Amino acid sequence: KARVPIFAFGVSLSSMESSRRPTLLGSPMRSAAASPVLGPGSWPRDMPALTLEEDDETAALQAAIEASLGSDMKRRLGSSLRSTEQELQSEYPEDDDADGSAPARRRRRCASDLDVALSDTEVSLAPCPSQSGQADLPANASGAESGFIEGQGQVSATQNLQNLEFDGLLDHEALLETIYASQGLNLREQQEKASRLLAEMGLSCLDLGVKNWDEEGRELVNQCFYLSIARSYLGHLPGSTEVQKAALLLKRTVESCVLAAHPSWAEDEQRLGQNAMAFADFLPIAMGAKDPPNLVARLAVVIIDTTQCHAEAYLGPLYSPRDEGGHEERSRDELEKSLILLCYTPGHYKALVQNDSNGSKPVWTYKELKSILEERGVMCIETSDFD
């Protein structure tokens, strides 16, 4: 994968070459309430010390975060892959695996189902944002706000962090706040910078929650990534049922590509963690899938990280193809429709929408969005080579 730093948020971040992401982009707890430990072991106490000196700062912070949240993220990703594997076996029972080709066949069927479903759904575009007004960063689905958890006081580095778990999942926002505070850093200051950035761009964060349901009514959690992509793609006109259906099919399309390419990842979380530490890490695999390519290959997915004020861009190989003369092969409408805007708050993804009464879909192309971010000194890391 080719990751190219394009621009920086007013400072040099060359350490990103050795540490791709200074935070883990994952899904949240289901509730704000504290609860006893139901799953993973206690939070690591031997967190690496941060060396806050220029280029070492981001790499050291990343190491501390991975030591604290890495195991939890591996559990979430592995659980999601296993649920997708079970869904595909139930949805396509006729695809037996006697010859080992079932994963590839299921991947193709998922891609086809997603294309058919979205071809029948109208995508709503709106006028360009005014790049003014107020954009907010509402509390994430974990409910942690300004370092508080419902019914508790402010989180401290010495607190019994078993109380920061619910249904066996860690509260990423509270833990990140603890990591930052223990080293004299202020997570909220970073998020306030992101809030100002979004306000300048005329954008707001729209929280789609973390739950979805399959065709049999079974509840799926940790779905904020796929729900947010689905809403960002479809815009404000389709109802929640259409968004949820698109998110379910999107999950299956993306994760069937992962299972076809790396069947052992569903069971081997150690190997999974060596290659993926966030749901966004599944995108390059899905974007690079061929025979045939899927909808994801036609998307440009941009995630603005509110904890570090930088952006990650995943550019599908079919988002902006050019002919032999170097001309765009897709229309402007197609480029606008295929631009996905997300924001990441600790442990949670949200859709980025226009700051209007409808939460409309912005109508930028990726090139235009990159220019807007560049004007504001935001660092963007591009992934565009999936071979």
Side-chain angles (χ1 to χ4, degrees):
K1 299 184 293 186
R3 294 188 166 271
V4 184
I6 304 300
F7 30 84
F9 193 80
V11 294
S12 170
L13 290 177
S14 59
S15 59
M16 293 298 293
E17 296 176 2
S18 60
S19 179
R20 192 197 76 185
R21 178 189 292 112
T23 56
L24 295 174
L25 308 183
S27 298
M29 298 167 49
R30 282 196 269 175
S31 168
S35 70
V37 177
L38 299 176
S42 60
W43 190 64
R45 307 292 177 170
D46 54 347
M47 182 177 70
L50 298 184
T51 304
L52 303 179
E53 296 180 0
E54 298 180 358
D55 291 347
D56 292 334
E57 178 178 346
T58 301
L61 184 59
Q62 171 74 358
I65 292 170
E66 288 191 3
S68 304
L69 304 180
S71 295
D72 187 62
M73 278 308 306
K74 285 188 286 187
R75 291 181 70 243
R76 296 179 189 220
L77 295 175
S79 175
S80 188
L81 288 175
R82 288 189 292 274
S83 72
T84 295
E85 193 171 45
Q86 293 168 0
E87 290 169 25
L88 296 180
Q89 291 171 355
S90 174
E91 189 71 12
Y92 310 120
E94 64 275 18
D95 284 341
D96 64 76
D97 202 23
D99 58 358
S101 62
R105 290 200 304 273
R106 290 168 180 160
R107 174 182 64 77
R108 290 192 290 269
R109 295 185 65 167
C110 287
S112 176
D113 289 348
L114 179 63
D115 280 339
V116 170
L118 293 186
S119 67
D120 296 332
T121 304
E122 180 182 357
V123 174
S124 52
L125 298 173
C128 290
S130 63
Q131 298 182 37
S132 63
Q134 300 298 317
D136 63 341
L137 285 176
N140 70 12
S142 71
E145 177 75 358
S146 300
F148 285 80
I149 295 181
E150 184 178 344
Q152 298 185 18
Q154 192 164 7
V155 177
S156 69
T158 58
Q159 182 179 354
N160 181 353
L161 292 170
Q162 291 181 347
N163 290 332
L164 303 183
E165 297 177 2
F166 182 81
D167 278 3
L169 299 176
L170 296 177
D171 180 346
H172 288 193
E173 176 150 20
L175 290 178
L176 282 176
E177 187 121 18
T178 300
I179 293 172
Y180 276 63
S182 67
Q183 300 297 327
L185 302 175
N186 191 329
L187 177 62
R188 294 296 161 180
E189 288 182 357
Q190 289 295 99
Q191 293 180 300
E192 288 170 3
K193 291 179 184 178
S195 183
R196 291 193 296 271
L197 168 69
L198 296 180
E200 290 177 5
M201 296 173 65
L203 298 177
S204 293
C205 294
L206 180 63
D207 195 334
L208 279 299
V210 300
K211 294 182 181 180
N212 202 359
W213 291 264
D214 66 13
E215 295 86 350
E216 305 301 322
R218 289 184 290 263
E219 182 182 278
L220 306 173
V221 295
N222 295 327
Q223 298 303 298
C224 60
F225 181 63
Y226 299 113
L227 287 166
S228 297
I229 292 179
R231 173 56 168 81
S232 180
Y233 181 82
L234 293 173
H236 69 280
L237 289 181
S240 59
T241 300
E242 287 86 355
V243 171
Q244 290 168 348
K245 179 180 179 181
L248 178 64
L249 295 175
L250 181 67
K251 173 183 184 287
R252 289 175 179 167
T253 297
V254 170
E255 296 189 7
S256 66
C257 291
V258 175
L259 291 167
H262 307 283
S264 65
W265 285 11
E267 300 300 332
D268 189 345
E269 290 182 359
Q270 183 62 34
R271 182 171 296 180
L272 169 64
Q274 293 171 356
N275 296 274
M277 288 296 290
F279 284 95
D281 288 328
F282 290 163
L283 285 179
I285 298 173
M287 287 179 168
K290 300 179 176 65
D291 187 32
N294 55 64
L295 172 77
V296 185
R298 303 195 292 272
L299 302 180
V301 180
V302 179
I303 305 172
I304 295 180
D305 182 351
T306 67
T307 65
Q308 289 292 322
C309 290
H310 77 272
E312 291 201 8
Y314 298 84
L315 306 179
L318 300 182
Y319 171 72
S320 182
R322 296 181 179 274
D323 59 25
E324 293 181 356
H327 303 293
E328 293 274 8
E329 293 184 357
R330 303 182 76 191
S331 68
R332 178 181 177 86
D333 283 349
E334 290 176 312
L335 296 177
E336 292 172 353
K337 173 182 174 181
S338 300
L339 177 63
I340 305 299
L341 292 179
L342 309 182
C343 75
Y344 163 73
T345 59
H348 195 32
Y349 294 97
K350 303 174 186 177
L352 277 176
V353 300
Q354 289 193 43
N355 189 26
D356 59 26
S357 59
N358 293 321
S360 307
K361 178 183 176 72
V363 288
W364 294 312
T365 66
Y366 172 68
K367 182 178 180 181
E368 292 167 344
L369 174 63
K370 187 171 80 169
S371 177
I372 292 169
L373 291 172
E374 184 175 15
E375 290 172 359
R376 288 158 177 78
V378 178
M379 176 180 183
C380 185
I381 304 169
E382 288 186 346
T383 298
S384 57
D385 182 4
F386 308 116
D387 293 330

PDB file of all heavy atoms in Angstrom, residues 29 71 80 112 114 134 155-156 190 198 213 215 220 224 237 274 288 343 359 378 381:
ATOM      1  N   MET A  29     -18.216   1.407  22.654  1.00  0.00           N
ATOM      2  CA  MET A  29     -19.054   0.653  23.555  1.00  0.00           C
ATOM      3  C   MET A  29     -20.511   0.852  23.158  1.00  0.00           C
ATOM      4  O   MET A  29     -20.853   1.769  22.449  1.00  0.00           O
ATOM      5  CB  MET A  29     -18.874   1.180  24.992  1.00  0.00           C
ATOM      6  CG  MET A  29     -17.500   1.045  25.552  1.00  0.00           C
ATOM      7  SD  MET A  29     -17.372   2.023  27.037  1.00  0.00           S
ATOM      8  CE  MET A  29     -18.815   1.524  27.946  1.00  0.00           C
ATOM      9  N   SER A  71      -5.353  -5.051  21.901  1.00  0.00           N
ATOM     10  CA  SER A  71      -6.030  -6.334  22.097  1.00  0.00           C
ATOM     11  C   SER A  71      -7.534  -6.190  21.929  1.00  0.00           C
ATOM     12  O   SER A  71      -8.201  -7.057  21.359  1.00  0.00           O
ATOM     13  CB  SER A  71      -5.708  -6.897  23.491  1.00  0.00           C
ATOM     14  OG  SER A  71      -4.335  -7.208  23.596  1.00  0.00           O
ATOM     15  N   SER A  80     -16.097  -9.351  14.214  1.00  0.00           N
ATOM     16  CA  SER A  80     -16.843  -8.901  13.042  1.00  0.00           C
ATOM     17  C   SER A  80     -16.643  -9.849  11.867  1.00  0.00           C
ATOM     18  O   SER A  80     -17.599 -10.201  11.158  1.00  0.00           O
ATOM     19  CB  SER A  80     -16.410  -7.484  12.662  1.00  0.00           C
ATOM     20  OG  SER A  80     -17.229  -6.953  11.641  1.00  0.00           O
ATOM     21  N   SER A 112     -22.326  -8.124  -5.951  1.00  0.00           N
ATOM     22  CA  SER A 112     -23.475  -8.008  -6.830  1.00  0.00           C
ATOM     23  C   SER A 112     -24.715  -7.557  -6.051  1.00  0.00           C
ATOM     24  O   SER A 112     -25.467  -6.690  -6.506  1.00  0.00           O
ATOM     25  CB  SER A 112     -23.750  -9.352  -7.518  1.00  0.00           C
ATOM     26  OG  SER A 112     -24.920  -9.295  -8.302  1.00  0.00           O
ATOM     27  N   LEU A 114     -24.826  -5.791  -3.326  1.00  0.00           N
ATOM     28  CA  LEU A 114     -24.677  -4.386  -2.950  1.00  0.00           C
ATOM     29  C   LEU A 114     -24.975  -3.476  -4.136  1.00  0.00           C
ATOM     30  O   LEU A 114     -25.679  -2.467  -4.005  1.00  0.00           O
ATOM     31  CB  LEU A 114     -23.262  -4.133  -2.433  1.00  0.00           C
ATOM     32  CG  LEU A 114     -22.948  -2.689  -2.008  1.00  0.00           C
ATOM     33  CD1 LEU A 114     -23.827  -2.265  -0.840  1.00  0.00           C
ATOM     34  CD2 LEU A 114     -21.463  -2.548  -1.638  1.00  0.00           C
ATOM     35  N   GLN A 134     -21.842  26.841  12.226  1.00  0.00           N
ATOM     36  CA  GLN A 134     -21.363  26.109  13.392  1.00  0.00           C
ATOM     37  C   GLN A 134     -21.455  24.617  13.134  1.00  0.00           C
ATOM     38  O   GLN A 134     -22.479  24.104  12.722  1.00  0.00           O
ATOM     39  CB  GLN A 134     -22.207  26.470  14.627  1.00  0.00           C
ATOM     40  CG  GLN A 134     -22.157  27.944  14.981  1.00  0.00           C
ATOM     41  CD  GLN A 134     -20.753  28.398  15.331  1.00  0.00           C
ATOM     42  OE1 GLN A 134     -20.037  27.691  16.041  1.00  0.00           O
ATOM     43  NE2 GLN A 134     -20.354  29.554  14.842  1.00  0.00           N
ATOM     44  N   VAL A 155     -11.999  10.845  34.718  1.00  0.00           N
ATOM     45  CA  VAL A 155     -11.112   9.696  34.666  1.00  0.00           C
ATOM     46  C   VAL A 155      -9.696  10.115  35.023  1.00  0.00           C
ATOM     47  O   VAL A 155      -9.201  11.122  34.546  1.00  0.00           O
ATOM     48  CB  VAL A 155     -11.126   9.074  33.251  1.00  0.00           C
ATOM     49  CG1 VAL A 155     -10.140   7.926  33.168  1.00  0.00           C
ATOM     50  CG2 VAL A 155     -12.527   8.598  32.910  1.00  0.00           C
ATOM     51  N   SER A 156      -9.031   9.339  35.825  1.00  0.00           N
ATOM     52  CA  SER A 156      -7.637   9.601  36.165  1.00  0.00           C
ATOM     53  C   SER A 156      -6.801   8.410  35.791  1.00  0.00           C
ATOM     54  O   SER A 156      -7.303   7.304  35.596  1.00  0.00           O
ATOM     55  CB  SER A 156      -7.479   9.882  37.663  1.00  0.00           C
ATOM     56  OG  SER A 156      -7.726   8.700  38.405  1.00  0.00           O
ATOM     57  N   GLN A 190      -7.181  18.973  21.089  1.00  0.00           N
ATOM     58  CA  GLN A 190      -7.110  18.468  19.722  1.00  0.00           C
ATOM     59  C   GLN A 190      -8.507  18.402  19.106  1.00  0.00           C
ATOM     60  O   GLN A 190      -8.713  18.756  17.945  1.00  0.00           O
ATOM     61  CB  GLN A 190      -6.461  17.083  19.708  1.00  0.00           C
ATOM     62  CG  GLN A 190      -4.976  17.083  20.017  1.00  0.00           C
ATOM     63  CD  GLN A 190      -4.188  17.811  18.932  1.00  0.00           C
ATOM     64  OE1 GLN A 190      -3.833  18.975  19.086  1.00  0.00           O
ATOM     65  NE2 GLN A 190      -3.925  17.142  17.827  1.00  0.00           N
ATOM     66  N   LEU A 198     -14.158  21.784  11.162  1.00  0.00           N
ATOM     67  CA  LEU A 198     -15.418  21.371  10.569  1.00  0.00           C
ATOM     68  C   LEU A 198     -16.375  22.556  10.432  1.00  0.00           C
ATOM     69  O   LEU A 198     -17.099  22.672   9.442  1.00  0.00           O
ATOM     70  CB  LEU A 198     -16.057  20.267  11.408  1.00  0.00           C
ATOM     71  CG  LEU A 198     -15.275  18.952  11.487  1.00  0.00           C
ATOM     72  CD1 LEU A 198     -16.027  17.944  12.344  1.00  0.00           C
ATOM     73  CD2 LEU A 198     -15.003  18.375  10.106  1.00  0.00           C
ATOM     74  N   TRP A 213     -29.093  -4.636  12.123  1.00  0.00           N
ATOM     75  CA  TRP A 213     -29.758  -5.919  12.233  1.00  0.00           C
ATOM     76  C   TRP A 213     -29.718  -6.614  10.875  1.00  0.00           C
ATOM     77  O   TRP A 213     -29.810  -5.966   9.832  1.00  0.00           O
ATOM     78  CB  TRP A 213     -31.217  -5.725  12.664  1.00  0.00           C
ATOM     79  CG  TRP A 213     -31.336  -5.251  14.078  1.00  0.00           C
ATOM     80  CD1 TRP A 213     -31.552  -6.014  15.192  1.00  0.00           C
ATOM     81  CD2 TRP A 213     -31.231  -3.901  14.549  1.00  0.00           C
ATOM     82  NE1 TRP A 213     -31.576  -5.223  16.314  1.00  0.00           N
ATOM     83  CE2 TRP A 213     -31.389  -3.923  15.954  1.00  0.00           C
ATOM     84  CE3 TRP A 213     -31.017  -2.673  13.912  1.00  0.00           C
ATOM     85  CZ2 TRP A 213     -31.334  -2.779  16.730  1.00  0.00           C
ATOM     86  CZ3 TRP A 213     -30.962  -1.524  14.682  1.00  0.00           C
ATOM     87  CH2 TRP A 213     -31.119  -1.579  16.081  1.00  0.00           C
ATOM     88  N   GLU A 215     -31.138  -9.823   8.174  1.00  0.00           N
ATOM     89  CA  GLU A 215     -32.470 -10.140   7.650  1.00  0.00           C
ATOM     90  C   GLU A 215     -33.321 -10.947   8.629  1.00  0.00           C
ATOM     91  O   GLU A 215     -34.544 -10.925   8.564  1.00  0.00           O
ATOM     92  CB  GLU A 215     -32.344 -10.919   6.327  1.00  0.00           C
ATOM     93  CG  GLU A 215     -31.728 -10.131   5.192  1.00  0.00           C
ATOM     94  CD  GLU A 215     -30.207 -10.193   5.175  1.00  0.00           C
ATOM     95  OE1 GLU A 215     -29.623 -10.696   6.168  1.00  0.00           O
ATOM     96  OE2 GLU A 215     -29.613  -9.748   4.174  1.00  0.00           O
ATOM     97  N   LEU A 220     -26.535  -6.696  15.386  1.00  0.00           N
ATOM     98  CA  LEU A 220     -25.112  -6.589  15.117  1.00  0.00           C
ATOM     99  C   LEU A 220     -24.606  -5.326  15.792  1.00  0.00           C
ATOM    100  O   LEU A 220     -25.225  -4.264  15.661  1.00  0.00           O
ATOM    101  CB  LEU A 220     -24.841  -6.515  13.612  1.00  0.00           C
ATOM    102  CG  LEU A 220     -25.429  -7.629  12.744  1.00  0.00           C
ATOM    103  CD1 LEU A 220     -25.215  -7.306  11.266  1.00  0.00           C
ATOM    104  CD2 LEU A 220     -24.820  -8.970  13.087  1.00  0.00           C
ATOM    105  N   CYS A 224     -20.783   1.152  13.482  1.00  0.00           N
ATOM    106  CA  CYS A 224     -20.768   2.579  13.163  1.00  0.00           C
ATOM    107  C   CYS A 224     -19.983   2.890  11.891  1.00  0.00           C
ATOM    108  O   CYS A 224     -20.340   3.811  11.145  1.00  0.00           O
ATOM    109  CB  CYS A 224     -20.213   3.387  14.338  1.00  0.00           C
ATOM    110  SG  CYS A 224     -18.540   2.958  14.824  1.00  0.00           S
ATOM    111  N   LEU A 237     -31.954  11.771   1.805  1.00  0.00           N
ATOM    112  CA  LEU A 237     -33.301  11.374   1.393  1.00  0.00           C
ATOM    113  C   LEU A 237     -33.680   9.946   1.774  1.00  0.00           C
ATOM    114  O   LEU A 237     -34.788   9.723   2.262  1.00  0.00           O
ATOM    115  CB  LEU A 237     -33.463  11.580  -0.123  1.00  0.00           C
ATOM    116  CG  LEU A 237     -33.532  13.037  -0.587  1.00  0.00           C
ATOM    117  CD1 LEU A 237     -33.711  13.103  -2.093  1.00  0.00           C
ATOM    118  CD2 LEU A 237     -34.658  13.784   0.112  1.00  0.00           C
ATOM    119  N   GLN A 274      -1.534  -8.065  13.253  1.00  0.00           N
ATOM    120  CA  GLN A 274      -0.297  -7.673  12.593  1.00  0.00           C
ATOM    121  C   GLN A 274      -0.563  -6.949  11.279  1.00  0.00           C
ATOM    122  O   GLN A 274       0.333  -6.304  10.730  1.00  0.00           O
ATOM    123  CB  GLN A 274       0.565  -8.917  12.330  1.00  0.00           C
ATOM    124  CG  GLN A 274       1.096  -9.569  13.600  1.00  0.00           C
ATOM    125  CD  GLN A 274       1.762 -10.917  13.321  1.00  0.00           C
ATOM    126  OE1 GLN A 274       1.756 -11.404  12.189  1.00  0.00           O
ATOM    127  NE2 GLN A 274       2.342 -11.515  14.346  1.00  0.00           N
ATOM    128  N   GLY A 288      -9.066  -3.250  -3.547  1.00  0.00           N
ATOM    129  CA  GLY A 288      -8.164  -3.916  -4.475  1.00  0.00           C
ATOM    130  C   GLY A 288      -8.700  -5.203  -5.049  1.00  0.00           C
ATOM    131  O   GLY A 288      -8.055  -5.819  -5.905  1.00  0.00           O
ATOM    132  N   CYS A 343     -15.934  11.235  10.127  1.00  0.00           N
ATOM    133  CA  CYS A 343     -15.048  11.741  11.174  1.00  0.00           C
ATOM    134  C   CYS A 343     -14.894  10.650  12.220  1.00  0.00           C
ATOM    135  O   CYS A 343     -15.771   9.789  12.379  1.00  0.00           O
ATOM    136  CB  CYS A 343     -15.565  13.035  11.796  1.00  0.00           C
ATOM    137  SG  CYS A 343     -16.956  12.849  12.922  1.00  0.00           S
ATOM    138  N   GLY A 359     -28.967  17.661   7.085  1.00  0.00           N
ATOM    139  CA  GLY A 359     -27.734  16.870   7.141  1.00  0.00           C
ATOM    140  C   GLY A 359     -27.391  16.370   5.754  1.00  0.00           C
ATOM    141  O   GLY A 359     -27.121  15.183   5.541  1.00  0.00           O
ATOM    142  N   VAL A 378      -4.152  20.921   6.980  1.00  0.00           N
ATOM    143  CA  VAL A 378      -4.451  19.602   7.534  1.00  0.00           C
ATOM    144  C   VAL A 378      -3.623  18.537   6.816  1.00  0.00           C
ATOM    145  O   VAL A 378      -3.558  18.509   5.589  1.00  0.00           O
ATOM    146  CB  VAL A 378      -5.952  19.271   7.392  1.00  0.00           C
ATOM    147  CG1 VAL A 378      -6.245  17.882   7.929  1.00  0.00           C
ATOM    148  CG2 VAL A 378      -6.779  20.312   8.131  1.00  0.00           C
ATOM    149  N   ILE A 381      -3.161  11.548   4.659  1.00  0.00           N
ATOM    150  CA  ILE A 381      -2.385  10.370   4.276  1.00  0.00           C
ATOM    151  C   ILE A 381      -3.218   9.593   3.258  1.00  0.00           C
ATOM    152  O   ILE A 381      -4.321   9.133   3.563  1.00  0.00           O
ATOM    153  CB  ILE A 381      -2.071   9.489   5.490  1.00  0.00           C
ATOM    154  CG1 ILE A 381      -1.360  10.300   6.565  1.00  0.00           C
ATOM    155  CG2 ILE A 381      -1.214   8.291   5.080  1.00  0.00           C
ATOM    156  CD1 ILE A 381      -1.246   9.578   7.882  1.00  0.00           C
TER     157      ILE A 381
END
